Amino acid sequence: MDEQRSEDTPLNIPPRPAPPTGYGRPQEAPAQPTPPHAAPPHAAPGHPGAPYRAQSAYEAHGEAQGAAFGATQPTQPLPHDGAPQAVWAPQPRAEERKSKGGGRVAAAILVAALVGGGAGFGGGWVSNSLTAGGGSVAESGSAPSNITVNNPGSVNEATAVATEVLPSVVTIEVAGGQSSGSGSGVVISEDGYVVTNTHVVTLGGTAADATVRVTASDGRIYDATIVGTDPTYDLAVIKLEGASGLTPIEFADSSKLNVGATTVAVGAPLGLANTVTTGIVSALNRSIEIASAAAPEGDSVEGEDEGQGEGSSPWFFDIPGQEDQQAQASESIAISVIQTDAAINPGNSGGALVDSEGKLIGVNVAIATADQSSSESGSIGVGFAIPSNVVERVANEIIENGTATHGLLGASVQPSSQVEGATITGAYIAEVVEGGAAEAAGLQEGDIVTRFNGAKINDAVDLTAQVRAAAGGSEAEVVYVRDGEEHTATVKLGTLE
């Protein structure tokens, strides 16, 4: 509030008053002359007559925009030598960005992995024209910075998240036989355990004992050994030899995600290390079925749609240079994934999908492409990541035991939409295996499963994906409909062999 003046106080008005020094307050001291070359005073928005002052990136967008982002920590200044510096730690946003609209596409799932090097994407232009991105790596001691910040006064949320996450993401190069390729990985321990995809370290199931080398974000190079693979959920763990002092990523609880939440994908698409893209969570509990040459025998979804025979599933691994091997795959896997519109391209596989705080919410696994005939198709805004809760469980089991377990329901299921007389979507139980988990829980032929551990079940793929996400021998809550009435049962799952 302005200072009060008594009525008998005489006014002393100079012929040409100097600009006021505050937001509408009387001038209390003589105005200082404007220094040479200094910016002239300007009124701040919403405060006539106020002098110009520097604003942060959020303030520059107005009070409403700043409130959406929440309070920020002050930006750290660069030293006079101009060297890039780390920026402030990421802060959660108070309001998530709205989802982008999009029409329907006839899409096929494409594994985001490079197999066959640059030649797989048209004559090797990647390695020849972008040597700074993936063709050469600096030696330890002269390694490039994780991220360049040229203007610390304009740092935004994505910059902060990238600075937080990049030290925990690595580029993986794999060679086996006549094939080679690259993908990404996420550091989960200081001594060098890294989680990635099975299809990255096995070159899509074609290399059983591949040679693996890893480049950290700071340029250090490590040889790596494969600790174990889990083809059922396309996850694998590798160990960097001689590593110490690495920066493990922090896991978020993927069960608490909301559609519309901010996502940041970090990895090495097309071999371009330290690449960052942003988007939102566009769908949760999305289930996809993918033909996989690495899948264990008998792991396919039972009760396929009529007319949808072997090899005709719309979701498959289409790895550049390995199309023939994938087309011959006789097994498939069903996985529950997070869908995001953050740009994910071949080479992002195994990389991190994180939230606005830089915590891991998923491991990138596949993308959709509108062009099934071309291996050069990139992101169309539909990417998929394995939820962090599944990643953490599977990775820990692989480190401890060399393998991971997955649930088994003990029933043959099919989409209820194909069953005459069904009035609700779900997974229709066509047959119950004698002595299996479903029978022990009281499930019967004709029951329609509508929820599994809280996740909505729309068809057989949904149910299989959710059952496999659970650990073998664990308990699960199943909601099903029998004769028009809803029931709930607790099932102790078997273990997939």
Side-chain angles (χ1 to χ4, degrees):
M1 180 175 294
D2 292 345
E3 296 177 1
Q4 299 298 318
R5 181 181 61 84
S6 64
E7 294 296 332
D8 57 353
T9 302
L11 296 176
N12 183 14
I13 304 175
R16 298 178 62 85
T21 59
Y23 294 100
R25 292 182 179 274
Q27 183 173 343
E28 298 179 355
Q32 298 298 322
T34 302
H37 309 296
H42 296 282
H47 298 284
Y52 172 84
R53 68 182 180 88
Q55 290 182 307
S56 70
Y58 294 137
E59 290 172 324
H61 289 288
E63 295 179 359
Q65 190 79 357
F69 280 76
T72 64
Q73 297 180 12
T75 302
Q76 299 299 320
L78 287 176
H80 294 294
D81 60 5
Q85 298 292 309
V87 297
W88 47 269
Q91 299 296 312
R93 291 173 60 172
E95 181 181 358
E96 305 295 349
R97 295 193 296 117
K98 294 184 178 179
S99 173
K100 302 175 184 178
R104 279 192 169 188
V105 294
I109 288 298
L110 170 67
V111 168
L114 276 175
V115 176
F121 289 86
W125 67 268
V126 170
S127 59
N128 291 334
S129 64
L130 296 172
T131 55
S136 62
V137 180
E139 296 295 332
S140 179
S142 60
S145 299
N146 294 332
I147 186 170
T148 301
V149 179
N150 292 319
N151 186 1
S154 296
V155 168
N156 60 20
E157 183 182 51
T159 311
V161 172
T163 304
E164 179 82 6
V165 175
L166 277 171
S168 302
V169 179
V170 299
T171 301
I172 301 174
E173 297 178 359
V174 184
Q178 301 299 314
S179 299
S180 63
S182 68
S184 306
V186 182
V187 177
I188 57 175
S189 74
E190 293 183 359
D191 58 348
Y193 282 105
V194 170
V195 64
T196 183
N197 294 132
T198 290
H199 76 255
V200 170
V201 298
T202 65
L203 297 175
T206 63
D209 189 19
T211 299
V212 181
R213 299 199 79 195
V214 173
T215 303
S217 65
D218 60 5
R220 287 180 292 175
I221 300 175
Y222 301 90
D223 291 326
T225 56
I226 300 174
V227 178
T229 62
D230 178 44
T232 296
Y233 243 82
D234 198 40
L235 290 168
V237 175
I238 61 176
K239 180 68 164 59
L240 311 189
E241 298 178 4
S244 63
L246 299 182
T247 305
I249 203 161
E250 184 176 352
F251 282 77
D253 184 351
S254 56
S255 68
K256 295 182 179 179
L257 284 174
N258 293 326
V259 170
T262 297
T263 60
V264 178
V266 184
L270 309 179
L272 305 175
N274 300 342
T275 295
V276 178
T277 56
T278 62
I280 62 166
V281 173
S282 49
L284 293 168
N285 298 320
R286 182 77 76 199
S287 298
I288 56 177
E289 182 184 7
I290 312 175
S292 171
E297 184 177 352
D299 197 26
S300 298
V301 177
E302 298 182 74
E304 293 285 358
D305 297 357
E306 291 183 12
Q308 191 180 48
E310 180 181 319
S312 62
S313 171
W315 314 112
F316 60 93
F317 285 155
D318 184 8
I319 305 175
Q322 306 295 320
E323 291 84 354
D324 293 340
Q325 291 87 339
Q326 290 300 315
Q328 298 171 4
S330 60
E331 300 293 335
S332 64
I333 60 174
I335 57 177
S336 177
V337 291
I338 299 166
Q339 182 178 317
T340 180
D341 68 348
I344 297 174
N345 287 286
N348 271 123
S349 266
L353 186 71
V354 301
D355 61 15
S356 60
E357 298 181 52
K359 297 180 181 179
L360 187 75
I361 59 175
V363 166
N364 301 321
V365 64
I367 63 174
T369 175
D371 185 359
Q372 300 185 31
S373 63
S374 173
S375 63
E376 297 184 15
S377 296
S379 172
I380 59 172
V382 182
F384 303 102
I386 302 167
S388 58
N389 288 4
V390 177
V391 173
E392 188 171 24
R393 178 186 72 80
V394 170
N396 286 338
E397 289 189 15
I398 290 176
I399 292 172
E400 292 176 6
N401 307 314
T403 59
T405 64
H406 296 277
L408 183 66
L409 184 60
S412 177
V413 295
Q414 65 186 82
S416 62
S417 59
Q418 295 192 352
V419 177
E420 185 177 356
T423 59
I424 188 171
T425 59
Y428 177 86
I429 297 181
E431 181 183 358
V432 174
V433 177
E434 184 177 354
E439 183 186 60
L443 297 177
Q444 301 176 7
E445 178 181 338
D447 292 344
I448 299 177
V449 178
T450 59
R451 287 193 175 274
F452 185 91
N453 276 344
K456 180 74 171 66
I457 302 299
N458 295 304
D459 53 28
V461 176
D462 277 350
L463 181 57
T464 302
Q466 292 296 333
V467 170
R468 298 292 188 265
S474 64
E475 290 189 347
E477 184 179 86
V478 176
V479 178
Y480 63 96
V481 175
R482 177 186 298 168
D483 298 329
E485 295 185 2
E486 187 176 90
H487 303 273
T488 301
T490 299
V491 180
K492 185 175 181 180
L493 298 173
T495 300
L496 181 70
E497 298 297 337

